[in-house]
Coordinates of all heavy atoms in Angstrom, one line a residue:
G1 N 0.8 -1.2 0.1 CA 0.0 -0.1 0.1 C 0.9 1.1 0.1 O 2.0 1.2 0.4
G2 N 0.3 2.4 -0.4 CA 1.0 3.6 -0.5 C 1.0 4.2 1.1 O 0.2 4.0 1.8
R3 N 1.9 5.2 1.2 CA 1.9 5.9 2.4 C 0.9 6.9 2.4 O 0.5 7.6 1.4 CB 3.3 6.6 2.5 CG 3.6 7.3 3.8 CD 4.9 8.0 4.0 NE 5.1 8.6 5.2 CZ 5.3 8.1 6.4 NH1 5.6 6.8 6.4 NH2 5.5 8.7 7.5
G4 N 0.3 7.3 3.6 CA -0.6 8.3 3.9 C 0.0 9.7 3.8 O 1.2 9.8 4.0
G5 N -0.9 10.6 3.6 CA -0.4 12.0 3.5 C 0.0 12.6 4.8 O -0.6 12.3 5.8
D6 N 0.9 13.6 4.8 CA 1.2 14.2 6.1 C 0.4 15.6 6.2 O 0.0 16.1 5.2 CB 2.7 14.6 6.0 CG 3.5 13.4 6.0 OD1 3.2 12.4 6.5 OD2 4.8 13.5 5.5
V7 N 0.1 16.1 7.3 CA -0.3 17.3 7.7 C 0.9 18.3 8.0 O 1.6 18.0 8.9 CB -1.4 17.4 8.8 CG1 -1.9 18.8 9.0 CG2 -2.5 16.5 8.5
I8 N 1.1 19.3 7.1 CA 2.3 20.1 7.2 C 1.9 21.6 7.5 O 0.9 22.0 6.8 CB 3.2 20.0 5.9 CG1 3.4 18.4 5.6 CG2 4.4 20.8 6.0 CD1 4.0 18.2 4.2
F9 N 2.7 22.2 8.3 CA 2.5 23.7 8.5 C 3.7 24.3 7.7 O 4.9 24.0 7.7 CB 2.5 24.1 10.0 CG 1.4 23.6 10.7 CD1 1.5 22.9 11.9 CD2 0.1 23.9 10.3 CE1 0.4 22.6 12.6 CE2 -1.0 23.6 10.9 CZ -0.9 23.0 12.1
Q10 N 3.4 25.5 7.1 CA 4.3 26.3 6.3 C 4.2 27.6 6.6 O 3.1 28.3 6.6 CB 4.1 26.1 4.8 CG 5.0 26.8 3.9 CD 5.0 26.5 2.4 OE1 4.9 25.4 2.1 NE2 4.9 27.6 1.7
G11 N 5.4 28.3 7.0 CA 5.3 29.7 7.4 C 5.1 30.6 6.1 O 5.5 30.4 5.0
D12 N 4.3 31.6 6.3 CA 3.9 32.5 5.1 C 3.8 34.0 5.6 O 3.1 34.4 6.6 CB 2.4 32.2 4.6 CG 2.1 33.0 3.4 OD1 2.8 34.1 3.1 OD2 1.3 32.6 2.6
E13 N 4.9 34.7 5.1 CA 5.1 36.1 5.8 C 3.9 37.0 5.3 O 3.8 38.1 5.8 CB 6.4 36.6 5.1 CG 6.5 36.8 3.6 CD 7.8 37.1 3.1 OE1 8.8 37.3 4.0 OE2 8.0 37.3 1.9
N14 N 3.0 36.6 4.4 CA 2.0 37.5 4.2 C 0.7 37.4 4.9 O -0.3 38.1 4.9 CB 1.4 37.2 2.7 CG 2.6 37.4 1.6 OD1 3.2 38.5 1.6 ND2 2.8 36.5 0.6
L15 N 0.9 36.5 6.0 CA -0.3 36.3 6.8 C 0.1 36.8 8.2 O 1.3 36.8 8.7 CB -0.6 34.8 7.1 CG -1.0 34.0 5.9 CD1 -1.2 32.5 6.3 CD2 -2.3 34.5 5.3
N16 N -0.8 37.4 9.0 CA -0.5 38.0 10.3 C -1.6 37.7 11.2 O -1.8 38.3 12.3 CB -0.4 39.5 10.1 CG -1.5 40.2 9.5 OD1 -2.6 39.6 9.5 ND2 -1.4 41.4 9.1
T17 N -2.4 36.6 11.1 CA -3.5 36.2 12.0 C -3.8 34.7 11.9 O -3.5 34.1 10.7 CB -4.7 37.0 11.7 OG1 -5.8 36.6 12.6 CG2 -5.3 36.8 10.2
L18 N -4.3 34.0 12.8 CA -4.7 32.7 12.7 C -6.1 32.5 12.5 O -6.7 31.6 12.9 CB -4.2 31.9 14.1 CG -2.7 31.9 14.4 CD1 -2.6 31.4 15.8 CD2 -2.0 31.0 13.4
M19 N -6.8 33.5 12.0 CA -8.3 33.6 11.8 C -8.7 32.3 11.1 O -9.7 31.8 11.3 CB -8.7 34.8 11.0 CG -10.1 34.9 10.9 SD -10.6 36.4 10.0 CE -9.8 36.4 8.5
D20 N -8.1 31.8 10.0 CA -8.3 30.7 9.2 C -8.7 29.5 10.1 O -9.6 28.6 9.8 CB -7.4 30.3 8.1 CG -7.4 31.4 7.0 OD1 -8.3 32.3 7.0 OD2 -6.5 31.4 6.3
F21 N -7.9 29.4 11.1 CA -7.9 28.1 11.9 C -9.1 28.2 13.0 O -9.5 27.3 13.7 CB -6.7 28.0 12.8 CG -5.6 27.6 11.7 CD1 -4.7 28.7 11.4 CD2 -5.3 26.4 11.2 CE1 -3.7 28.4 10.5 CE2 -4.3 26.2 10.4 CZ -3.4 27.2 10.0
K22 N -9.8 29.4 13.1 CA -10.8 29.6 13.9 C -12.3 28.9 13.2 O -13.2 28.6 13.7 CB -11.2 31.0 14.2 CG -10.3 31.6 15.3 CD -10.7 31.1 16.7 CE -9.8 31.6 17.8 NZ -10.1 31.1 19.1
Y23 N -12.2 29.0 11.8 CA -13.4 28.6 11.1 C -13.1 27.1 10.5 O -14.0 26.5 10.2 CB -13.5 29.5 10.0 CG -13.8 30.8 10.5 CD1 -12.9 31.9 10.3 CD2 -15.1 31.2 11.0 CE1 -13.3 33.2 10.8 CE2 -15.3 32.5 11.5 CZ -14.4 33.4 11.3 OH -14.7 34.7 11.9
K24 N -11.9 26.7 10.5 CA -11.7 25.3 10.0 C -10.7 24.7 11.1 O -9.5 25.1 11.1 CB -11.1 25.2 8.7 CG -10.9 23.8 8.2 CD -10.1 23.7 6.7 CE -10.0 22.2 6.4 NZ -9.3 22.2 5.1
Q25 N -11.2 23.8 11.9 CA -10.5 23.2 13.0 C -10.0 21.9 12.8 O -9.2 21.2 13.7 CB -11.2 23.4 14.3 CG -11.6 24.8 14.6 CD -12.4 25.0 15.9 OE1 -13.2 24.0 16.2 NE2 -12.3 26.0 16.7
H26 N -10.4 21.1 11.7 CA -10.0 19.8 11.5 C -9.3 19.5 10.2 O -9.9 20.1 9.2 CB -11.3 18.8 11.5 CG -11.8 18.6 12.8 ND1 -12.7 19.6 13.4 CD2 -12.0 17.6 13.7 CE1 -13.1 19.2 14.7 NE2 -12.6 18.0 14.9
Y27 N -8.2 19.0 10.3 CA -7.3 18.8 9.1 C -7.0 17.3 8.9 O -6.2 16.8 9.9 CB -6.1 19.6 9.2 CG -6.3 21.1 9.2 CD1 -6.9 21.8 10.2 CD2 -6.3 21.8 7.8 CE1 -7.1 23.2 10.1 CE2 -6.6 23.2 7.8 CZ -6.9 23.8 8.9 OH -7.3 25.2 9.0
K28 N -7.5 16.7 8.0 CA -7.2 15.2 7.7 C -6.6 15.1 6.4 O -7.2 15.4 5.4 CB -8.5 14.4 7.9 CG -9.0 14.4 9.3 CD -10.3 13.5 9.3 CE -10.9 13.6 10.8 NZ -12.1 12.7 10.9
A29 N -5.5 14.3 6.4 CA -4.9 14.0 5.1 C -5.4 12.8 4.5 O -6.1 11.9 5.1 CB -3.3 13.9 5.2
A30 N -5.2 12.7 3.2 CA -5.8 11.4 2.5 C -5.1 10.2 2.8 O -3.9 10.1 3.2 CB -5.8 11.7 1.0
R31 N -5.7 9.1 2.6 CA -5.3 7.7 2.8 C -4.5 7.3 1.5 O -4.7 7.7 0.4 CB -6.3 6.7 2.9 CG -5.8 5.4 3.2 CD -7.0 4.4 3.7 NE -6.3 3.1 4.1 CZ -6.9 2.4 5.0 NH1 -8.1 2.7 5.5 NH2 -6.3 1.2 5.4
G32 N -3.3 6.6 1.8 CA -2.6 5.9 0.7 C -3.4 5.0 0.0 O -4.3 4.4 0.4
E33 N -3.0 4.8 -1.3 CA -3.8 3.9 -2.1 C -3.4 2.4 -1.9 O -2.2 2.1 -1.5 CB -3.4 4.2 -3.7 CG -4.3 3.4 -4.7 CD -3.9 3.8 -6.1 OE1 -2.7 3.9 -6.4 OE2 -4.8 4.0 -6.9
H34 N -4.4 1.6 -1.8 CA -4.1 0.2 -1.6 C -3.3 -0.4 -2.7 O -3.2 0.0 -3.9 CB -5.3 -0.5 -1.5 CG -6.3 -0.2 -0.5 ND1 -5.8 0.2 0.9 CD2 -7.7 0.0 -0.4 CE1 -6.9 0.5 1.6 NE2 -8.1 0.4 0.9
G35 N -2.5 -1.6 -2.4 CA -1.7 -2.3 -3.3 C -2.6 -3.0 -4.3 O -3.7 -3.1 -4.1
K36 N -1.9 -3.4 -5.3 CA -2.5 -4.1 -6.4 C -1.8 -5.5 -6.7 O -0.7 -5.7 -6.3 CB -2.7 -3.4 -7.7 CG -3.4 -2.1 -7.5 CD -3.4 -1.3 -8.8 CE -4.2 0.1 -8.7 NZ -3.5 1.0 -7.7
G37 N -2.5 -6.4 -7.6 CA -1.7 -7.5 -8.1 C -0.7 -7.2 -8.9 O -0.4 -6.1 -9.2
K38 N 0.1 -8.2 -9.3 CA 1.3 -8.2 -10.2 C 2.4 -7.2 -9.5 O 3.1 -6.6 -10.2 CB 0.9 -7.6 -11.5 CG 0.0 -8.5 -12.3 CD -0.4 -8.0 -13.7 CE -1.3 -8.9 -14.5 NZ -1.6 -8.4 -15.7
N39 N 2.5 -7.3 -8.1 CA 3.5 -6.5 -7.5 C 3.3 -5.1 -7.7 O 4.3 -4.3 -7.7 CB 4.9 -7.0 -7.7 CG 5.1 -8.4 -7.1 OD1 4.6 -8.6 -5.9 ND2 5.8 -9.2 -7.8
M40 N 2.2 -4.5 -8.0 CA 2.1 -3.0 -8.2 C 1.7 -2.4 -6.8 O 0.6 -2.8 -6.2 CB 0.9 -2.8 -9.2 CG 1.3 -3.1 -10.6 SD 0.2 -2.6 -11.9 CE -1.3 -3.6 -11.5
H41 N 2.5 -1.4 -6.5 CA 2.3 -0.8 -5.2 C 1.3 0.5 -5.4 O 1.2 1.1 -6.4 CB 3.6 -0.2 -4.7 CG 4.7 -1.2 -4.5 ND1 4.5 -2.6 -4.1 CD2 6.0 -1.1 -4.6 CE1 5.5 -3.2 -4.0 NE2 6.6 -2.4 -4.4
G42 N 0.7 0.6 -4.3 CA -0.3 1.9 -4.3 C 0.5 3.2 -4.2 O 1.5 3.2 -3.7
A43 N -0.2 4.2 -4.8 CA 0.5 5.5 -4.7 C 0.4 6.0 -3.4 O -0.6 5.9 -2.6 CB -0.2 6.4 -5.7
N44 N 1.5 7.0 -3.1 CA 1.5 7.7 -1.9 C 0.4 8.9 -1.9 O 0.3 9.3 -3.0 CB 2.8 8.3 -1.6 CG 3.8 7.1 -1.3 OD1 3.6 6.1 -0.9 ND2 5.2 7.6 -1.6
A45 N -0.2 9.1 -0.8 CA -1.2 10.2 -0.9 C -0.4 11.6 -0.7 O 0.6 11.7 0.0 CB -2.2 10.0 0.3

């Protein structure tokens, strides 16, 4: 199977408030893709 996605914070000098996180409080990354036959690996999310 593929690896699940990370939740990453990135600094942005154009922002000066945490207002966005007041309105969206849940952050869930996508699941990795399942493996397949013929030794085909699932894609990383």
Side-chain angles (χ1 to χ4, degrees):
R3 183 177 179 84
D6 298 331
V7 179
I8 302 168
F9 289 129
Q10 178 175 315
D12 188 339
E13 61 185 5
N14 296 315
L15 299 177
N16 55 18
T17 177
L18 296 173
M19 181 174 65
D20 291 347
F21 298 96
K22 283 290 182 180
Y23 299 105
K24 183 181 178 182
Q25 298 178 329
H26 289 76
Y27 293 81
K28 295 183 179 181
R31 179 174 195 152
E33 191 177 39
H34 298 319
K36 301 180 179 65
K38 298 183 180 179
N39 287 321
M40 291 191 293
H41 301 327
N44 296 333

